[in-house]
Amino acid sequence: YDHFSIDMEMTMAGVGLLTEGPLSNGKGSYISSFRRSFLKYVIESVGMTAIPEFWNTQTKVVYNLDSRKKLILNTVGGWDYIKVEGENRPDLQEAENVEHTGYQYTAGVTYKSLFSKQGYSLLSISRSSSSWITDVYDYTNDGLQNNYFTRDNRESDNVIKGDLVYKYSPNLEISTGVNYKYVQYSLNEKADPDLLNASRIKRIA
């Protein structure tokens, strides 16, 4: 890129922003985007109770160390949220209140080096993570929130990867590599016993 630019898009669903341009007097470049929903403010006006919210972003930065070596940074992330409350459906009595939040992101950096006109090597380090947080609840006679199902789960991947690529001819390319991955899990769920509720059965019947 030899110039800076910015683009914005607005619709009833949300807003999007895209920007790109050079870095360090042309030694590098970047491109970045961001989107966010406005559905909450549009749909609330028509009386709906379950309104999703979200945003996401992505950024890529390339920096040339010299004519044969460069660093590449990539990030992707997102967040979403929804709350369902007070649906007043008899068949969902005591299960109509749900609040959920989730996020995901991936970030990594790659070092690329040309060792000949036909070959190059890559060394990458990255981390990816996801989270899911959910509450299902009702209210006590005192108006307090009573969670009878709760989830707080997280999953992460940590990766180191090396690749070697050599283009022997226009029709033949040879590649090899190594990959190390360390995975982390955190699973936390709590649920109250599922007991029959005579008043609920009567209402449904």
Side-chain angles (χ1 to χ4, degrees):
Y1 305 104
D2 57 1
H3 65 280
F4 171 81
S5 68
I6 183 169
D7 297 305
M8 179 177 289
E9 177 187 6
M10 296 189 68
T11 66
M12 291 185 63
V15 61
L17 184 69
L18 175 67
T19 179
E20 56 185 328
L23 292 172
S24 300
N25 297 320
K27 288 187 176 181
S29 62
Y30 75 93
I31 182 170
S32 182
S33 67
F34 176 83
R35 298 183 66 87
R36 180 174 179 176
S37 70
F38 284 156
L39 292 172
K40 175 180 179 180
Y41 307 103
V42 176
I43 300 178
E44 273 185 346
S45 62
V46 298
M48 293 185 64
T49 58
I51 305 169
E53 300 179 58
F54 67 88
W55 64 259
N56 58 69
T57 183
Q58 181 173 3
T59 298
K60 180 179 181 180
V61 178
V62 179
Y63 185 80
N64 298 305
L65 300 172
D66 56 36
S67 61
R68 304 173 71 89
K69 302 180 181 69
K70 67 173 61 177
L71 288 175
I72 305 168
L73 171 68
N74 273 298
T75 63
V76 180
W79 171 90
D80 61 273
Y81 171 83
I82 189 168
K83 186 174 184 178
V84 183
E85 190 171 58
E87 289 292 319
N88 295 322
R89 287 178 52 185
D91 57 327
L92 294 179
Q93 189 68 28
E94 296 184 0
E96 68 271 28
N97 303 317
V98 180
E99 186 173 11
H100 170 79
T101 303
Y103 74 79
Q104 307 82 36
Y105 75 83
T106 298
V109 61
T110 298
Y111 172 73
K112 183 176 182 180
S113 175
L114 302 177
F115 59 82
S116 73
K117 293 182 178 180
Q118 289 81 32
Y120 62 90
S121 62
L122 298 170
L123 177 62
S124 301
I125 301 174
S126 65
R127 176 180 171 84
S128 299
S129 183
S130 300
S131 174
W132 304 272
I133 302 171
T134 304
D135 291 323
V136 183
Y137 59 92
D138 56 14
Y139 289 101
T140 66
N141 293 331
D142 298 328
L144 301 177
Q145 181 172 315
N146 173 44
N147 293 351
Y148 55 87
F149 176 80
T150 299
R151 169 180 291 148
D152 186 357
N153 294 347
R154 304 173 192 273
E155 178 181 330
S156 299
D157 293 338
N158 306 277
V159 179
I160 299 176
K161 184 179 180 182
D163 294 288
L164 191 66
V165 180
Y166 187 81
K167 193 169 185 178
Y168 186 78
S169 70
N171 299 318
L172 178 61
E173 182 177 280
I174 301 172
S175 64
T176 185
V178 294
N179 186 359
Y180 170 79
K181 178 183 287 189
Y182 175 65
V183 182
Q184 297 171 289
Y185 295 99
S186 176
L187 305 179
N188 299 292
E189 295 189 0
K190 179 182 178 181
D192 290 348
D194 186 11
L195 302 176
L196 290 177
N197 187 316
S199 61
R200 178 187 174 194
I201 296 174
K202 182 178 180 180
R203 283 192 297 269
I204 297 176

